[in-house]
Amino acid sequence: MRIGELAARAGVSVRSLRYYEEQGLLTSVRSAGGQRHYTEVHVERVSFLQRMYTAGLSSRTIAELLPCVDSPSEETADAALLRMAEERERLSEHIAELLHTRDALDGLMATNRAYRERLNSPVTG
């Protein structure tokens, strides 16, 4: 199949597929005219890549995990597990930062509401 069909079947843009190739995450066979051609296997590969991106992994990290996907072995599985644990820790730290930021915003919103209530309340003497 050609790149447009793969994009449609996988639910991604042609630009994304080209990016995946640039990053070494996806390969294609080129025709004599230079057109990219893919097989059914590539649809699943793109779905896998999308799941990895959705999980917050970078292209570089995904590339580091692909040997476990492409050539599973005890060594590649151990390396992938270690890398995923590192990514999980990174995501956990990011989540903690986001929660802290949200809590700070909640505090600012509460201060603003209290200020507005004081402005709108009748002055008693």
Side-chain angles (χ1 to χ4, degrees), residues 6-122:
L6 175 60
R9 293 197 44 212
V12 300
S13 67
V14 168
R15 183 177 175 185
S16 292
L17 296 177
R18 289 185 181 127
Y19 175 77
Y20 297 162
E21 282 201 34
E22 288 172 12
Q23 298 302 308
L25 306 175
L26 184 68
T27 58
S28 63
V29 175
R30 297 284 184 137
S31 70
Q35 293 181 330
R36 295 171 171 93
H37 289 275
Y38 302 91
T39 65
E40 193 65 33
V41 171
H42 291 98
V43 176
E44 180 53 37
R45 175 65 159 232
V46 172
S47 295
F48 171 78
L49 295 174
Q50 287 298 110
R51 289 191 303 275
M52 296 296 99
Y53 281 116
T54 299
L57 303 181
S58 67
S59 297
R60 186 177 67 178
T61 299
I62 295 169
E64 291 173 13
L65 297 175
L66 286 178
C68 183
V69 174
D70 296 336
S71 304
S73 70
E74 188 173 336
E75 182 181 333
T76 60
D78 289 346
L81 184 58
L82 178 62
R83 189 66 180 107
M84 286 185 285
E86 291 169 354
E87 281 301 305
R88 186 181 189 290
E89 181 60 28
R90 183 189 64 78
L91 289 171
S92 293
E93 289 171 4
H94 184 64
I95 289 167
E97 290 172 12
L98 289 172
L99 290 172
H100 177 75
T101 302
R102 185 195 62 192
D103 292 346
L105 184 59
D106 286 346
L108 290 171
M109 291 169 64
T111 300
N112 181 275
R113 286 186 188 108
Y115 175 77
R116 292 178 57 79
E117 286 176 13
R118 283 194 305 274
L119 286 178
N120 293 327
S121 67

